[in-house]
Amino acid sequence: MRFETERLILRPWTEDDAESLFEYAKDPAVGPIAGWPVHTGVENSREIIREILSADETYAVCLKEDNRAIGSVGLIPPAQSHTKSGDDEIEIGYWIGVPFWGKGLIPEAVRKLQEHVFLDLGCSAMWCGYYDGNVKSKKCQEKCGFTYHHTEENKPCVLMGDVRTEHFTRITKDEWLIGRKTNEAVLYIHGKGGNAGEAEHYRTFFPGRDVYGFDYKAENPWDARKEFSDKVAELAENYDRIVLIAVSIGAYFSMNAAIGKFIDKAFFISPIVNMEKLILDMINWAGTSERELEKRKIIPVDFGDDLSWDYLQYVRNHKISWNVPTEILYGSADHLQSMDTIQEFATKISAKLTIMEGGEHWFHTDEQMSFLDQWLQTKISK
């Protein structure tokens, strides 16, 4: 069996994955804390694939871009469970290579298997466990809706030859179904000239979830960085999942604020994705030069915000990075970001790009809003 998520492919392991497996499983930060020893060589990894990872319902976690194994996620039936589970319950285990920590990839994989377990396999509950001190695994489980159930002390860890304390978490099918809708916040971030009240338009697309409009005050990225970060961190204290809808410069401010670690899914509408290029284009539109801007520091223009040397330098010194599953809606008549610019960005972050022919940078006509609504509804329902 094979599954796909926004960024991942979950597929059966093959012996051809041995080199990739060894690359990440040889790191002492990965296996021992999960209860298994570091791999000693490619042949050792190949043997592990044959004897352990080839089990039913065990999947290599691969990035879509290259289908290369970077971790593992698997289901453990009741007879082999680390704790006592019912006949219609199942346990899940996982790990991922260190270079991919903090990107939300394992929660993405676990959620996909939760869907498989509860909807395809008909299980009533799913278990997960972590050894004392494995804070990263604990947080991952909490993010996926698992709640603490019990602790077992003095448990032999056979593969490591020691004795440990293991904590177990659990989620029932009913809890999972409820959690899919209610433990999620939707954060709407408007573009220039917009307002937080625009979030009301999106409320009907997310029934049962809390939708917030962000009335930010910042007018430049260095002030927005802290304001955005604080807002999203506050939401993350109360919600397991956050969906982001960001328009125009709101998308740029969001990416610049490095809030990706809190966001599970993003919808960008006419996003500014290359601010440096936009400023350079504006310099050209104003009939001036970068050298002149450096000299004068501020150059007023009659088609938008004043050109600022400090703004340009900030953008150049703070490159954006975005590792969130993202859907982008773009209008072919967008006058601020070119088609090439948006396509290059979408490819870079593996985002799905939808283009409305004749759509403008500001989606506002009845036709454009109808297209936007249909796009969003289609993407949400997938």
Side-chain angles (χ1 to χ4, degrees):
M1 194 170 291
R2 169 190 170 107
F3 303 98
E4 289 193 11
T5 68
E6 291 293 333
R7 295 176 290 175
L8 301 173
I9 294 171
L10 308 180
R11 59 163 176 79
W13 285 88
T14 73
E15 291 189 30
D16 291 339
D17 295 316
E19 289 188 7
S20 181
L21 173 58
F22 175 62
E23 180 178 347
Y24 302 113
K26 68 182 179 183
D27 192 324
V30 176
I33 197 167
W36 47 270
V38 297
H39 291 200
T40 57
V42 173
E43 287 307 313
N44 177 221
S45 292
R46 185 170 285 110
E47 182 182 5
I48 295 296
I49 292 172
R50 284 197 301 264
E51 297 185 359
I52 298 175
L53 298 180
S54 60
D56 290 342
E57 300 286 4
T58 298
Y59 304 94
V61 176
C62 311
L63 293 177
K64 277 186 173 179
E65 58 198 49
D66 57 13
N67 197 26
R68 187 167 179 264
I70 59 172
S72 186
V73 60
L75 304 178
I76 306 168
Q80 292 153 1
S81 175
H82 293 188
T83 191
K84 186 176 181 180
S85 59
D87 291 340
D88 63 345
E89 300 177 344
I90 207 159
E91 187 177 345
I92 190 168
Y94 52 78
W95 64 266
I96 196 166
V98 172
F100 307 96
W101 287 6
K103 299 180 183 296
L105 295 173
I106 283 297
E108 188 172 322
V110 169
R111 290 190 189 104
K112 188 62 180 179
L113 285 194
Q114 284 178 330
E115 182 180 296
H116 172 53
V117 162
F118 292 128
L119 299 185
D120 299 334
L121 302 183
C123 294
S124 65
M126 176 184 276
W127 292 84
C128 199
Y130 62 92
Y131 289 119
D132 208 33
N134 194 345
V135 177
K136 284 183 170 52
S137 187
K138 176 177 182 288
K139 289 183 177 179
C140 173
Q141 291 167 41
E142 291 173 345
K143 196 169 186 179
C144 293
F146 291 91
T147 57
Y148 172 78
H149 190 274
H150 71 279
T151 295
E152 297 180 17
E153 299 180 343
N154 300 315
K155 289 196 68 175
C157 182
V158 178
L159 294 178
M160 293 300 295
D162 57 19
V163 175
R164 302 186 180 188
T165 294
E166 188 168 8
H167 307 284
F168 288 93
T169 61
R170 185 173 180 263
I171 182 173
T172 66
K173 181 177 181 178
D174 288 343
E175 290 169 340
W176 176 74
L177 288 171
I178 294 172
R180 290 181 89 190
K181 295 182 178 180
T182 60
N183 205 20
E184 179 176 271
V186 179
L187 179 63
Y188 173 79
I189 299 179
H190 62 79
K192 183 174 177 60
N195 60 78
E198 295 168 4
E200 288 300 314
H201 178 80
Y202 299 91
R203 195 174 300 279
T204 57
F205 294 97
F206 298 93
R209 281 157 281 187
D210 296 328
V211 179
Y212 298 90
F214 184 21
D215 190 20
Y216 61 93
K217 307 301 181 185
E219 296 184 355
N220 57 60
W222 49 92
D223 290 332
R225 190 174 181 91
K226 184 177 188 307
E227 188 178 5
F228 277 52
S229 180
D230 288 348
K231 175 64 175 181
V232 176
E234 177 186 350
L235 283 178
E237 289 292 322
N238 299 298
Y239 295 91
D240 289 335
R241 290 173 53 83
I242 300 175
V243 173
L244 175 69
I245 303 175
V247 179
S248 188
I249 198 170
Y252 171 72
F253 279 175
S254 297
M255 293 185 287
N256 174 71
I259 61 174
K261 62 183 177 180
F262 297 112
I263 306 299
D264 292 272
K265 175 79 175 181
F267 297 93
F268 285 171
I269 303 167
S270 302
I272 301 298
V273 299
N274 189 332
M275 183 61 78
E276 180 181 4
K277 185 177 186 306
L278 176 56
I279 294 173
L280 294 177
D281 286 343
M282 292 174 68
I283 290 174
N284 185 55
W285 300 338
T288 186
S289 66
E290 190 175 331
R291 178 175 295 182
E292 183 67 14
L293 180 59
E294 181 179 12
K295 177 182 177 181
R296 295 171 58 183
K297 304 304 180 185
I298 298 288
I299 297 179
V301 297
D302 59 7
F303 54 78
D305 291 338
D306 294 345
L307 296 173
S308 164
W309 177 252
D310 288 343
Y311 204 129
L312 177 58
Q313 293 311 297
Y314 177 90
V315 168
R316 283 176 168 165
N317 293 325
H318 296 80
K319 302 297 185 182
I320 59 174
S321 177
W322 192 246
N323 295 305
V324 175
T326 301
E327 297 277 356
I328 299 175
L329 176 60
Y330 172 80
S332 66
D334 192 315
H335 64 289
L336 293 184
Q337 301 274 258
S338 70
M339 183 82 74
D340 288 344
T341 297
I342 207 78
Q343 288 177 331
E344 179 182 356
F345 175 78
T347 299
K348 178 181 178 182
I349 70 164
S350 300
K352 294 181 179 178
L353 174 63
T354 300
I355 299 171
M356 179 186 178
E357 290 299 325
E360 301 170 84
H361 180 76
W362 175 36
F363 275 64
H364 64 288
T365 68
D366 288 345
E367 181 184 7
Q368 290 166 1
M369 291 305 296
S370 177
F371 190 98
L372 186 158
D373 290 351
Q374 186 175 3
W375 166 77
L376 185 59
Q377 187 62 61
T378 299
K379 298 302 181 181
I380 292 171
S381 63
K382 283 187 176 180

